[in-house]
Amino acid sequence: MKTSVRQSATVEGGLGTRDRIVRVASRLMQRQGYDGTGIKQISVEAGATLGSVYHFFPGGKQELAVAAIRHGDQEFADLLRVILDQVADPAEAVVACARDLADGLRDSDWADGCPVTATALGTASRAPDIQRAAAEAFAHWRLLVADKLRRAGVAEDDAEELAHTVISTLEGAELAAQVSRSDRPLLTAGRHLAQLINLHRSPGA
């Protein structure tokens, strides 16, 4: 979630054309939103012809946006999975995740927020495929968090509700951090989420 367009250029250069187009689309929409990103700009920055873009995505920008959201989904899920696997305590893992998101925003000069939210925002009423892909991404992330919480002794129903709270709070805090150009919203959110998680853990878990 924290790789900028410039930072990912060398990686994208070694990818196949379709993957390169998707990654560039994801990065541009992450920074510019769906409406602010055009097919021509994507093709130029991906080093692909317009014909290639439409060959892989005959549905145009909406189809490409869905692919970009799915890329962003997997990118953050991979990051989340690594943190949840490496940090045994779920409360500490959430704090680590908030810190990682804050570091990524700071490294990008507060430009690279959540690619899923940035792409989907404002398109839900006119692009149901984009809305659906974004909803699936959030559900994917909640599932990872809920599984971690259950394994730490949190009851099933509480784990699902807490996972909703964790993902929603981190999403909102990331946006607040980006707007304020400060890591405080994310770091504060991480600490309070950790306290909330600890309230729901079984004694001795």
Side-chain angles (χ1 to χ4, degrees), residues 1 22 29-30 34 44 53 64 85 96 122-124 126 129 138 151 154 161 163 170 174 178 188 193 197:
M1 189 178 279
V22 170
M29 291 181 186
Q30 180 181 28
Y34 176 83
V44 169
V53 176
L64 180 50
D85 287 345
T123 65
R126 55 192 166 93
D129 288 348
F138 296 138
R151 288 186 279 115
V154 177
E161 292 190 359
L170 289 177
E174 186 175 37
Q178 190 173 14
T188 301
L193 286 170
I197 289 169

Side-chain angles (χ1 to χ4, degrees), residues 23 82 100 102 104 111 122 175 179:
R23 285 183 180 236
V82 167
D100 195 276
L175 179 59
V179 170

Side-chain angles (χ1 to χ4, degrees), residues 124-148:
S125 62
R126 55 192 166 93
D129 288 348
I130 294 176
Q131 184 275 329
R132 191 177 306 112
E136 289 171 355
F138 296 138
H140 184 195
W141 303 341
R142 290 194 300 266
L143 184 64
L144 294 174
V145 174
D147 182 60
K148 175 73 170 183

Side-chain angles (χ1 to χ4, degrees), residues 13 35 48 57 148-149 153 163 165 201:
D35 289 330
F57 302 98
K148 175 73 170 183
L149 293 170
T165 302
R201 296 176 69 180

Side-chain angles (χ1 to χ4, degrees), residues 93-160:
V94 169
V95 172
C97 184
R99 189 181 303 116
D100 195 276
L101 290 174
D103 290 345
L105 270 177
R106 193 185 307 103
D107 289 347
S108 73
D109 194 27
W110 312 101
D112 294 338
C114 175
V116 172
T117 302
T119 303
L121 196 62
T123 65
S125 62
R126 55 192 166 93
D129 288 348
I130 294 176
Q131 184 275 329
R132 191 177 306 112
E136 289 171 355
F138 296 138
H140 184 195
W141 303 341
R142 290 194 300 266
L143 184 64
L144 294 174
V145 174
D147 182 60
K148 175 73 170 183
L149 293 170
R150 282 192 295 268
R151 288 186 279 115
V154 177
E156 180 74 27
D157 290 345
D158 287 342
E160 291 185 8

Side-chain angles (χ1 to χ4, degrees), residues 12-25 45-48:
E12 286 155 4
L15 296 172
T17 302
R18 185 187 186 282
D19 288 340
R20 196 165 64 247
I21 291 168
V22 170
R23 285 183 180 236
V24 167
E45 298 210 16

